[in-house]
Coordinates of all heavy atoms in Angstrom, one line a residue:
M1 N -44.2 18.3 -37.4 CA -45.2 17.4 -38.0 C -45.3 17.5 -39.4 O -45.5 16.6 -40.2 CB -46.6 17.7 -37.2 CG -46.6 17.2 -35.8 SD -47.5 15.7 -35.7 CE -48.9 16.2 -34.8
T2 N -45.2 18.8 -39.9 CA -45.3 19.0 -41.4 C -44.2 18.2 -42.1 O -44.4 17.7 -43.2 CB -45.1 20.5 -41.6 OG1 -46.2 21.2 -40.9 CG2 -45.3 20.7 -43.1
W3 N -43.0 18.2 -41.5 CA -41.9 17.5 -42.2 C -42.1 16.0 -42.2 O -41.7 15.3 -43.2 CB -40.6 17.8 -41.5 CG -40.2 19.2 -41.8 CD1 -40.2 20.2 -40.8 CD2 -39.6 19.7 -43.0 NE1 -39.7 21.3 -41.4 CE2 -39.4 21.1 -42.8 CE3 -39.4 19.2 -44.2 CZ2 -38.9 21.9 -43.7 CZ3 -38.9 20.0 -45.2 CH2 -38.7 21.4 -44.9
Q4 N -42.8 15.5 -41.3 CA -43.2 14.0 -41.3 C -44.2 13.7 -42.4 O -44.0 12.7 -43.2 CB -43.7 13.5 -39.9 CG -42.7 13.4 -39.0 CD -43.1 12.9 -37.6 OE1 -44.3 13.1 -37.3 NE2 -42.3 12.3 -36.8
W5 N -45.1 14.6 -42.6 CA -46.1 14.4 -43.7 C -45.4 14.6 -45.1 O -45.7 13.8 -46.0 CB -47.2 15.4 -43.6 CG -48.3 15.1 -42.6 CD1 -48.6 15.7 -41.5 CD2 -49.2 14.0 -42.7 NE1 -49.6 15.2 -40.8 CE2 -50.0 14.0 -41.5 CE3 -49.4 12.9 -43.5 CZ2 -50.9 13.1 -41.2 CZ3 -50.4 12.0 -43.2 CH2 -51.1 12.1 -42.1
I6 N -44.5 15.5 -45.1 CA -43.8 15.7 -46.4 C -42.9 14.5 -46.7 O -42.9 14.0 -47.8 CB -42.9 17.0 -46.3 CG1 -43.8 18.2 -46.3 CG2 -41.9 17.0 -47.5 CD1 -43.1 19.5 -46.0
G7 N -42.2 14.0 -45.7 CA -41.3 12.8 -45.9 C -42.2 11.6 -46.3 O -41.8 10.8 -47.2
L8 N -43.3 11.4 -45.6 CA -44.1 10.2 -45.9 C -44.8 10.3 -47.3 O -44.8 9.3 -48.1 CB -45.2 10.2 -44.9 CG -46.2 9.0 -44.9 CD1 -45.3 7.7 -44.7 CD2 -47.2 9.1 -43.8
T9 N -45.1 11.6 -47.7 CA -45.6 11.7 -49.1 C -44.5 11.4 -50.1 O -44.7 10.8 -51.2 CB -46.1 13.2 -49.3 OG1 -47.1 13.4 -48.3 CG2 -46.6 13.4 -50.7
I10 N -43.3 11.9 -49.9 CA -42.2 11.7 -50.8 C -41.8 10.2 -50.9 O -41.7 9.6 -52.0 CB -40.9 12.5 -50.4 CG1 -41.2 14.0 -50.7 CG2 -39.7 12.1 -51.2 CD1 -40.2 15.0 -50.1
F11 N -41.8 9.5 -49.8 CA -41.6 8.1 -49.8 C -42.7 7.4 -50.5 O -42.4 6.4 -51.2 CB -41.5 7.5 -48.4 CG -40.1 7.6 -47.8 CD1 -39.9 8.3 -46.6 CD2 -39.0 7.1 -48.4 CE1 -38.6 8.4 -46.0 CE2 -37.7 7.2 -47.9 CZ -37.5 7.9 -46.7
S12 N -43.9 7.8 -50.3 CA -45.0 7.1 -51.0 C -45.0 7.3 -52.5 O -45.4 6.5 -53.2 CB -46.3 7.6 -50.4 OG -46.5 7.2 -49.0
L13 N -44.6 8.5 -52.9 CA -44.5 8.7 -54.3 C -43.3 8.2 -55.1 O -43.4 8.1 -56.3 CB -44.6 10.3 -54.6 CG -45.9 11.0 -54.2 CD1 -45.7 12.5 -54.4 CD2 -47.1 10.5 -55.1
T14 N -42.3 7.9 -54.3 CA -41.1 7.4 -55.0 C -40.9 5.8 -54.7 O -40.8 5.1 -55.7 CB -39.8 8.2 -54.6 OG1 -39.7 8.0 -53.2 CG2 -40.0 9.6 -55.1
L15 N -40.7 5.5 -53.5 CA -40.4 4.1 -53.2 C -41.5 3.1 -53.4 O -41.2 2.0 -53.8 CB -39.9 4.0 -51.7 CG -38.5 4.6 -51.4 CD1 -38.2 4.5 -49.9 CD2 -37.4 4.0 -52.3
L16 N -42.7 3.5 -53.1 CA -43.8 2.5 -53.3 C -44.0 2.1 -54.7 O -44.0 0.9 -55.0 CB -45.1 3.1 -52.6 CG -46.3 2.1 -52.6 CD1 -46.0 0.9 -51.9 CD2 -47.5 2.9 -52.1
P17 N -44.1 3.0 -55.7 CA -44.3 2.5 -57.1 C -43.1 1.8 -57.6 O -43.1 0.8 -58.3 CB -44.5 3.8 -57.9 CG -44.9 4.9 -56.9 CD -44.3 4.4 -55.6
A18 N -41.8 2.3 -57.2 CA -40.6 1.6 -57.7 C -40.5 0.2 -57.1 O -40.3 -0.8 -57.8 CB -39.4 2.4 -57.3
G19 N -40.8 0.0 -55.8 CA -40.8 -1.3 -55.2 C -41.8 -2.3 -55.8 O -41.5 -3.4 -56.0
L20 N -42.9 -1.7 -56.0 CA -44.1 -2.6 -56.6 C -43.6 -3.1 -58.0 O -43.9 -4.1 -58.4 CB -45.4 -1.8 -56.6 CG -46.0 -1.7 -55.2 CD1 -47.2 -0.8 -55.3 CD2 -46.4 -3.1 -54.7
A21 N -43.1 -2.1 -58.7 CA -42.7 -2.4 -60.2 C -41.6 -3.5 -60.2 O -41.6 -4.4 -61.0 CB -42.3 -1.1 -60.9
I22 N -40.6 -3.3 -59.3 CA -39.5 -4.3 -59.3 C -40.0 -5.6 -58.8 O -39.7 -6.7 -59.4 CB -38.3 -3.8 -58.5 CG1 -37.8 -2.5 -59.2 CG2 -37.3 -4.8 -58.4 CD1 -36.8 -1.8 -58.4
A23 N -40.8 -5.6 -57.7 CA -41.3 -6.9 -57.2 C -42.2 -7.7 -58.1 O -42.2 -8.9 -58.1 CB -42.0 -6.6 -55.8
T24 N -43.0 -7.0 -58.9 CA -43.8 -7.7 -59.8 C -43.2 -8.0 -61.2 O -43.8 -8.7 -62.0 CB -45.1 -6.9 -60.1 OG1 -44.8 -5.6 -60.6 CG2 -45.9 -6.7 -58.8
G25 N -42.0 -7.5 -61.4 CA -41.2 -7.6 -62.7 C -41.7 -6.8 -63.8 O -41.4 -7.0 -65.0
R26 N -42.6 -5.7 -63.5 CA -43.0 -4.9 -64.6 C -42.0 -3.6 -64.6 O -42.2 -2.6 -64.1 CB -44.4 -4.4 -64.2 CG -45.4 -5.5 -64.2 CD -46.7 -5.0 -63.9 NE -47.7 -6.1 -63.9 CZ -48.9 -6.0 -63.5 NH1 -49.4 -5.0 -63.0 NH2 -49.7 -7.1 -63.6
L27 N -41.1 -3.8 -65.4 CA -40.0 -2.8 -65.7 C -40.1 -2.3 -67.1 O -40.6 -3.0 -68.0 CB -38.7 -3.3 -65.4 CG -38.4 -3.7 -63.9 CD1 -37.1 -4.4 -63.7 CD2 -38.5 -2.5 -63.0
P28 N -39.7 -1.1 -67.4 CA -39.6 -0.6 -68.8 C -38.8 -1.6 -69.7 O -37.8 -2.2 -69.3 CB -38.8 0.7 -68.7 CG -38.9 1.1 -67.2 CD -39.0 -0.2 -66.5
A29 N -39.4 -1.8 -70.9 CA -38.8 -2.6 -71.9 C -37.4 -2.2 -72.3 O -36.5 -2.9 -72.7 CB -39.7 -2.9 -73.1
R30 N -37.3 -0.8 -72.3 CA -35.9 -0.2 -72.7 C -34.8 -0.5 -71.8 O -33.6 -0.3 -72.1 CB -36.1 1.2 -72.9 CG -36.4 2.0 -71.7 CD -36.6 3.5 -72.0 NE -36.9 4.3 -70.8 CZ -38.1 4.5 -70.3 NH1 -39.1 4.0 -70.9 NH2 -38.2 5.1 -69.2
L31 N -35.1 -1.1 -70.6 CA -34.1 -1.4 -69.6 C -33.5 -2.7 -70.1 O -34.2 -3.8 -70.3 CB -34.7 -1.6 -68.2 CG -33.8 -1.7 -67.1 CD1 -32.9 -0.4 -66.9 CD2 -34.5 -1.8 -65.8
P32 N -32.1 -2.9 -70.3 CA -31.5 -4.1 -70.7 C -31.8 -5.2 -69.8 O -31.9 -5.0 -68.6 CB -30.1 -3.7 -70.9 CG -29.9 -2.2 -70.8 CD -31.2 -1.7 -70.1
A33 N -32.0 -6.4 -70.4 CA -32.3 -7.6 -69.5 C -31.2 -7.8 -68.5 O -31.4 -8.3 -67.4 CB -32.4 -8.8 -70.4
R34 N -29.9 -7.6 -68.8 CA -28.8 -7.8 -67.9 C -28.7 -6.8 -66.8 O -28.1 -7.0 -65.8 CB -27.5 -7.9 -68.7 CG -27.1 -6.6 -69.4 CD -25.8 -6.9 -70.1 NE -25.5 -5.7 -70.9 CZ -24.9 -4.6 -70.6 NH1 -24.6 -4.4 -69.4 NH2 -24.7 -3.7 -71.4
R35 N -29.4 -5.7 -67.0 CA -29.4 -4.6 -65.9 C -30.7 -4.7 -65.0 O -30.8 -3.9 -64.1 CB -29.4 -3.2 -66.6 CG -28.2 -3.0 -67.4 CD -27.1 -2.5 -66.4 NE -25.9 -2.1 -67.2 CZ -24.8 -1.9 -66.7 NH1 -24.6 -2.0 -65.4 NH2 -23.8 -1.6 -67.4
R36 N -31.6 -5.5 -65.4 CA -32.9 -5.6 -64.6 C -32.6 -6.2 -63.2 O -32.0 -7.2 -63.1 CB -33.9 -6.5 -65.3 CG -34.4 -5.8 -66.6 CD -35.5 -6.6 -67.1 NE -35.8 -5.9 -68.4 CZ -37.0 -6.1 -69.0 NH1 -37.9 -6.9 -68.5 NH2 -37.3 -5.4 -70.1
P37 N -33.0 -5.5 -62.2 CA -32.8 -6.0 -60.8 C -33.7 -7.2 -60.6 O -34.8 -7.3 -61.0 CB -33.2 -4.8 -60.0 CG -34.1 -4.0 -60.8 CD -33.7 -4.2 -62.2
P38 N -33.3 -8.1 -59.8 CA -34.1 -9.3 -59.4 C -35.3 -8.9 -58.5 O -35.3 -7.8 -57.9 CB -33.2 -10.2 -58.7 CG -32.0 -9.4 -58.3 CD -31.9 -8.3 -59.2
R39 N -36.3 -9.6 -58.4 CA -37.5 -9.3 -57.6 C -37.2 -9.1 -56.2 O -37.9 -8.4 -55.5 CB -38.5 -10.4 -57.9 CG -39.1 -10.3 -59.3 CD -40.2 -11.2 -59.5 NE -40.7 -11.1 -60.8 CZ -41.8 -11.6 -61.2 NH1 -42.6 -12.3 -60.4 NH2 -42.3 -11.5 -62.5
A40 N -36.1 -9.7 -55.7 CA -35.9 -9.6 -54.3 C -35.5 -8.1 -54.0 O -35.8 -7.7 -52.9 CB -34.6 -10.5 -54.0
Y41 N -34.9 -7.4 -55.0 CA -34.6 -6.0 -54.7 C -35.9 -5.2 -54.5 O -36.1 -4.3 -53.7 CB -33.9 -5.4 -55.9 CG -32.4 -5.6 -55.9 CD1 -31.8 -5.9 -57.1 CD2 -31.7 -5.7 -54.7 CE1 -30.4 -6.2 -57.1 CE2 -30.3 -5.9 -54.7 CZ -29.7 -6.3 -55.9 OH -28.4 -6.5 -55.9
G42 N -37.0 -5.6 -55.3 CA -38.3 -5.0 -55.1 C -38.9 -5.2 -53.7 O -39.4 -4.1 -53.1
W43 N -38.8 -6.4 -53.2 CA -39.2 -6.6 -51.9 C -38.5 -5.9 -50.8 O -38.9 -5.4 -49.8 CB -39.3 -8.1 -51.6 CG -40.3 -8.8 -52.4 CD1 -40.2 -9.6 -53.4 CD2 -41.7 -8.7 -52.2 NE1 -41.4 -10.0 -53.9 CE2 -42.3 -9.5 -53.2 CE3 -42.6 -8.0 -51.3 CZ2 -43.7 -9.6 -53.3 CZ3 -43.9 -8.1 -51.4 CH2 -44.5 -8.9 -52.4
A44 N -37.2 -5.8 -51.1 CA -36.3 -5.0 -50.1 C -36.7 -3.6 -50.2 O -36.8 -2.9 -49.0 CB -34.8 -5.1 -50.6
V45 N -37.0 -2.9 -51.3 CA -37.4 -1.6 -51.4 C -38.7 -1.4 -50.6 O -39.0 -0.5 -49.9 CB -37.5 -1.1 -52.8 CG1 -38.2 0.2 -52.9 CG2 -36.1 -1.0 -53.4
L46 N -39.6 -2.4 -50.9 CA -41.0 -2.3 -50.2 C -40.7 -2.4 -48.6 O -41.5 -1.8 -47.9 CB -41.9 -3.4 -50.7 CG -42.4 -3.2 -52.1 CD1 -43.2 -4.4 -52.5 CD2 -43.2 -1.9 -52.2
A47 N -39.9 -3.2 -48.2 CA -39.6 -3.3 -46.7 C -39.0 -2.0 -46.2 O -39.5 -1.5 -45.1 CB -38.6 -4.4 -46.4
L48 N -38.1 -1.3 -47.0 CA -37.6 -0.1 -46.5 C -38.7 1.0 -46.6 O -38.7 1.9 -45.7 CB -36.5 0.3 -47.4 CG -35.2 -0.5 -47.2 CD1 -34.1 -0.1 -48.2 CD2 -34.7 -0.3 -45.8
Y49 N -39.6 1.0 -47.5 CA -40.7 1.8 -47.6 C -41.6 1.6 -46.4 O -42.2 2.6 -45.8 CB -41.5 1.7 -48.9 CG -42.9 2.4 -48.8 CD1 -43.0 3.8 -48.8 CD2 -44.0 1.7 -48.5 CE1 -44.2 4.4 -48.7 CE2 -45.2 2.3 -48.4 CZ -45.4 3.6 -48.5 OH -46.6 4.3 -48.3
A50 N -41.9 0.4 -46.0 CA -42.9 0.1 -44.9 C -42.3 0.7 -43.6 O -43.2 1.0 -42.7 CB -43.0 -1.4 -44.8
A51 N -41.0 0.9 -43.4 CA -40.6 1.5 -42.2 C -41.1 2.9 -42.0 O -41.2 3.4 -40.9 CB -39.0 1.4 -42.2
A52 N -41.2 3.7 -43.1 CA -41.6 5.1 -43.0 C -43.0 5.2 -42.4 O -43.2 6.0 -41.5 CB -41.4 5.8 -44.3
P53 N -44.1 4.6 -43.0 CA -45.3 4.7 -42.4 C -45.5 4.1 -41.0 O -46.2 4.6 -40.2 CB -46.3 4.0 -43.3 CG -45.6 3.6 -44.5 CD -44.1 3.8 -44.3
L54 N -44.7 2.9 -40.8 CA -44.8 2.4 -39.4 C -44.2 3.4 -38.4 O -44.7 3.3 -37.3 CB -44.0 1.1 -39.4 CG -44.7 -0.1 -39.9 CD1 -43.7 -1.2 -40.0 CD2 -45.8 -0.5 -39.1
N55 N -43.2 4.2 -38.7 CA -42.7 5.2 -37.8 C -43.5 6.5 -37.8 O -43.7 7.0 -36.7 CB -41.3 5.5 -38.3 CG -40.6 6.3 -37.2 OD1 -40.9 6.3 -36.1 ND2 -39.5 6.9 -37.7
A56 N -44.0 6.9 -38.9 CA -44.6 8.2 -38.9 C -46.1 8.3 -38.5 O -46.5 9.2 -37.8 CB -44.4 8.8 -40.3
I57 N -46.9 7.3 -38.9 CA -48.3 7.4 -38.8 C -48.7 7.4 -37.3 O -49.5 8.2 -36.9 CB -49.0 6.3 -39.6 CG1 -48.9 6.6 -41.1 CG2 -50.5 6.2 -39.1 CD1 -49.5 5.6 -42.0
P58 N -48.1 6.5 -36.4 CA -48.4 6.7 -35.0 C -48.2 8.0 -34.4 O -48.9 8.5 -33.6 CB -47.7 5.5 -34.3 CG -47.3 4.7 -35.5 CD -47.3 5.5 -36.7
R59 N -47.0 8.5 -34.8 CA -46.7 9.9 -34.3 C -47.6 11.0 -34.7 O -48.0 11.9 -34.1 CB -45.2 10.2 -34.6 CG -44.3 9.3 -34.0 CD -42.8 9.6 -34.6 NE -41.9 8.5 -34.3 CZ -41.3 8.3 -33.1 NH1 -41.5 9.2 -32.1 NH2 -40.5 7.4 -32.9
L60 N -48.0 10.9 -36.0 CA -48.8 11.9 -36.6 C -50.3 11.7 -36.1 O -51.0 12.8 -36.0 CB -48.9 11.8 -38.2 CG -47.5 12.1 -38.8 CD1 -47.6 11.8 -40.3 CD2 -47.2 13.6 -38.6
T61 N -50.7 10.6 -35.7 CA -52.1 10.5 -35.2 C -52.2 10.6 -33.7 O -53.3 10.6 -33.2 CB -52.7 9.1 -35.6 OG1 -51.8 8.1 -35.0 CG2 -52.8 8.9 -37.0
G62 N -51.1 10.9 -33.0 CA -51.0 11.1 -31.6 C -51.3 9.8 -30.8 O -51.9 9.9 -29.7
A63 N -50.8 8.7 -31.3 CA -50.9 7.5 -30.5 C -50.1 7.5 -29.2 O -49.3 8.4 -29.0 CB -50.4 6.3 -31.4
A64 N -50.5 6.6 -28.4 CA -49.8 6.5 -27.1 C -48.3 6.3 -27.2 O -47.9 5.7 -28.2 CB -50.4 5.4 -26.2
P65 N -47.5 6.8 -26.3 CA -46.0 6.6 -26.5 C -45.6 5.2 -26.5 O -44.7 4.9 -27.3 CB -45.5 7.3 -25.2 CG -46.5 8.3 -24.8 CD -47.8 7.6 -25.2
R66 N -46.2 4.3 -25.9 CA -45.9 2.8 -25.9 C -46.2 2.3 -27.3 O -45.3 1.5 -27.8 CB -46.6 2.0 -24.9 CG -46.1 2.3 -23.5 CD -46.7 1.4 -22.5 NE -46.2 1.7 -21.2 CZ -46.2 0.8 -20.2 NH1 -46.7 -0.3 -20.3 NH2 -45.7 1.2 -19.0
V67 N -47.3 2.7 -27.9 CA -47.7 2.2 -29.3 C -46.6 2.7 -30.2 O -46.2 2.0 -31.1 CB -49.1 2.6 -29.5 CG1 -49.5 2.3 -31.0 CG2 -50.1 1.9 -28.6
S68 N -46.4 4.0 -30.1 CA -45.4 4.7 -31.0 C -44.0 4.0 -30.9 O -43.4 3.7 -31.9 CB -45.3 6.2 -30.7 OG -44.5 6.7 -31.5
L69 N -43.6 3.7 -29.7 CA -42.3 3.1 -29.5 C -42.3 1.6 -30.1 O -41.4 1.3 -30.8 CB -42.0 3.1 -28.1 CG -40.6 2.5 -27.7 CD1 -39.5 3.2 -28.3 CD2 -40.5 2.4 -26.2
A70 N -43.4 0.9 -29.9 CA -43.4 -0.4 -30.4 C -43.5 -0.5 -31.9 O -42.8 -1.2 -32.5 CB -44.7 -1.2 -29.9
L71 N -44.2 0.4 -32.5 CA -44.2 0.5 -34.0 C -42.9 1.0 -34.6 O -42.5 0.5 -35.6 CB -45.4 1.3 -34.5 CG -46.8 0.6 -34.3 CD1 -47.9 1.5 -34.7 CD2 -46.8 -0.7 -35.1
T72 N -42.2 1.9 -33.9 CA -40.9 2.3 -34.3 C -39.9 1.2 -34.2 O -39.1 1.0 -35.1 CB -40.4 3.5 -33.4 OG1 -41.4 4.6 -33.6 CG2 -39.0 3.9 -33.9
A73 N -40.0 0.3 -33.2 CA -39.1 -0.8 -33.1 C -39.4 -1.8 -34.2 O -38.5 -2.4 -34.8 CB -39.3 -1.5 -31.7
I74 N -40.7 -2.1 -34.5 CA -41.0 -2.9 -35.6 C -40.6 -2.4 -36.9 O -40.1 -3.1 -37.8 CB -42.6 -3.1 -35.6 CG1 -43.0 -4.0 -34.4 CG2 -43.0 -3.9 -36.9 CD1 -44.5 -4.1 -34.3
A75 N -40.6 -1.1 -37.1 CA -40.1 -0.4 -38.3 C -38.6 -0.6 -38.5 O -38.1 -0.9 -39.5 CB -40.5 1.1 -38.3
G76 N -37.9 -0.6 -37.4 CA -36.5 -0.8 -37.4 C -36.2 -2.2 -37.8 O -35.3 -2.5 -38.7
I77 N -36.9 -3.2 -37.3 CA -36.7 -4.6 -37.7 C -37.0 -4.8 -39.2 O -36.3 -5.5 -39.8 CB -37.6 -5.5 -36.8 CG1 -37.1 -5.4 -35.3 CG2 -37.6 -6.9 -37.3 CD1 -38.0 -6.0 -34.3
V78 N -38.1 -4.2 -39.6 CA -38.5 -4.3 -41.0 C -37.4 -3.7 -41.9 O -37.0 -4.2 -43.0 CB -39.9 -3.7 -41.3 CG1 -40.2 -3.6 -42.7 CG2 -41.0 -4.5 -40.6
A79 N -36.8 -2.6 -41.5 CA -35.9 -1.9 -42.3 C -34.5 -2.7 -42.4 O -33.9 -2.9 -43.5 CB -35.5 -0.5 -41.7
V80 N -34.2 -3.3 -41.3 CA -33.0 -4.2 -41.2 C -33.3 -5.4 -42.2 O -32.4 -5.8 -42.9 CB -32.6 -4.6 -39.8 CG1 -31.6 -5.7 -39.7 CG2 -32.1 -3.4 -39.0
A81 N -34.4 -6.0 -42.1 CA -34.8 -7.2 -42.9 C -34.7 -6.7 -44.4 O -34.2 -7.5 -45.2 CB -36.2 -7.7 -42.6
G82 N -35.2 -5.5 -44.7 CA -35.0 -5.0 -46.1 C -33.6 -4.9 -46.6 O -33.2 -5.3 -47.7
C83 N -32.8 -4.4 -45.6 CA -31.3 -4.3 -46.0 C -30.7 -5.6 -46.2 O -29.9 -5.8 -47.1 CB -30.6 -3.5 -44.9 SG -31.1 -1.7 -44.8
L84 N -31.0 -6.6 -45.3 CA -30.5 -7.9 -45.4 C -30.9 -8.6 -46.7 O -30.2 -9.3 -47.4 CB -30.9 -8.8 -44.2 CG -30.1 -8.4 -42.9 CD1 -30.7 -9.2 -41.7 CD2 -28.7 -8.6 -43.0
L85 N -32.2 -8.4 -47.1 CA -32.7 -9.0 -48.3 C -32.0 -8.4 -49.5 O -31.6 -9.1 -50.5 CB -34.2 -8.8 -48.4 CG -34.9 -9.4 -49.6 CD1 -34.8 -10.9 -49.5 CD2 -36.4 -9.0 -49.6
A86 N -31.7 -7.1 -49.5 CA -31.0 -6.4 -50.6 C -29.6 -7.0 -50.7 O -29.0 -7.2 -51.8 CB -31.0 -5.0 -50.5
A87 N -28.9 -7.1 -49.5 CA -27.5 -7.6 -49.5 C -27.5 -9.1 -50.0 O -26.6 -9.5 -50.8 CB -27.0 -7.6 -48.1
L88 N -28.5 -9.9 -49.6 CA -28.5 -11.3 -50.0 C -28.8 -11.4 -51.6 O -28.1 -12.2 -52.3 CB -29.5 -12.1 -49.3 CG -29.2 -12.4 -47.8 CD1 -30.4 -13.1 -47.2 CD2 -27.9 -13.3 -47.8
A89 N -29.6 -10.5 -52.1 CA -29.8 -10.5 -53.5 C -28.6 -10.1 -54.3 O -28.3 -10.5 -55.3 CB -31.0 -9.6 -53.8
S90 N -27.9 -9.1 -53.7 CA -26.7 -8.6 -54.3 C -25.7 -9.7 -54.3 O -25.0 -9.8 -55.4 CB -26.2 -7.4 -53.6 OG -25.0 -6.9 -54.2
L91 N -25.5 -10.4 -53.2 CA -24.5 -11.5 -53.2 C -24.9 -12.6 -54.2 O -24.0 -13.2 -54.8 CB -24.4 -12.1 -51.8 CG -23.7 -11.2 -50.8 CD1 -23.8 -11.8 -49.4 CD2 -22.2 -11.0 -51.2
R92 N -26.1 -13.0 -54.3 CA -26.6 -14.0 -55.2 C -26.3 -13.6 -56.6 O -25.9 -14.4 -57.4 CB -28.1 -14.3 -55.0 CG -28.5 -15.4 -55.9 CD -30.0 -15.7 -55.7 NE -30.2 -16.2 -54.3 CZ -31.4 -16.3 -53.8 NH1 -32.4 -16.0 -54.4 NH2 -31.5 -16.7 -52.6
R93 N -26.6 -12.3 -56.9 CA -26.4 -11.8 -58.3 C -24.9 -11.8 -58.6 O -24.5 -12.0 -59.7 CB -27.0 -10.4 -58.4 CG -27.0 -10.0 -59.8 CD -28.0 -8.8 -60.0 NE -28.0 -8.5 -61.4 CZ -28.7 -7.5 -61.9 NH1 -29.4 -6.8 -61.1 NH2 -28.8 -7.3 -63.1
A94 N -24.1 -11.4 -57.6 CA -22.6 -11.4 -57.8 C -22.1 -12.8 -58.1 O -21.2 -13.0 -58.9 CB -21.8 -10.8 -56.6
G95 N -22.7 -13.8 -57.5 CA -22.3 -15.2 -57.8 C -22.7 -15.7 -59.2 O -22.1 -16.5 -59.7
D96 N -23.7 -15.0 -59.7 CA -24.1 -15.4 -61.1 C -23.2 -14.8 -62.2 O -23.2 -15.2 -63.3 CB -25.5 -14.8 -61.4 CG -26.6 -15.6 -60.6 OD1 -26.3 -16.7 -60.0 OD2 -27.7 -15.0 -60.5
G97 N -22.4 -13.8 -61.7 CA -21.5 -13.2 -62.7 C -22.1 -12.1 -63.6 O -21.5 -11.5 -64.5
T98 N -23.4 -11.7 -63.2 CA -24.0 -10.6 -63.9 C -23.6 -9.2 -63.3 O -23.5 -9.2 -62.1 CB -25.5 -10.7 -63.9 OG1 -26.0 -10.9 -62.6 CG2 -26.0 -11.9 -64.7
P99 N -23.6 -8.2 -64.1 CA -23.2 -6.9 -63.5 C -24.3 -6.2 -62.7 O -25.4 -6.5 -62.8 CB -22.9 -6.1 -64.8 CG -23.5 -6.7 -65.9 CD -23.7 -8.2 -65.5

């Protein structure tokens, strides 16, 4: 259980702020414009982040096994959606000719 809390804390401290910054377009000015990731990447990171609490919180709170299983399945679906969104954003960016 301690490792789940540690993992959830690490994900919350790294992926959540990064995903929010990219999704809202608030990136450091020193980052070159051609290297700035599109907002779709931010939403993909947020979807991948959402999988961690959806999986960990029911287990940590001692929820019923059916609830835990259902939320874990939803977390898997959200994670796959985030991966697909990142892949689509990558393909769209590759079509633009930007690095």
Side-chain angles (χ1 to χ4, degrees):
M1 289 259 245
T2 303
W3 288 107
Q4 285 181 333
W5 281 114
I6 292 170
L8 188 59
T9 302
I10 289 171
F11 275 125
S12 295
L13 292 175
T14 57
L15 288 179
L16 185 59
L20 287 173
I22 296 170
T24 59
R26 295 183 179 166
L27 296 170
R30 66 182 179 270
L31 193 64
R34 62 183 169 83
R35 297 274 185 194
R36 291 186 181 197
R39 290 185 179 193
Y41 283 141
W43 290 108
V45 170
L46 288 175
L48 290 173
Y49 164 76
L54 280 172
N55 188 20
I57 290 175
R59 297 174 192 278
L60 293 172
T61 58
R66 287 185 181 204
V67 172
S68 180
L69 181 63
L71 288 175
T72 299
I74 292 170
I77 292 168
V78 169
V80 168
C83 290
L84 289 174
L85 184 60
L88 289 174
S90 179
L91 287 174
R92 182 179 296 167
R93 190 166 187 179
D96 293 343
T98 53

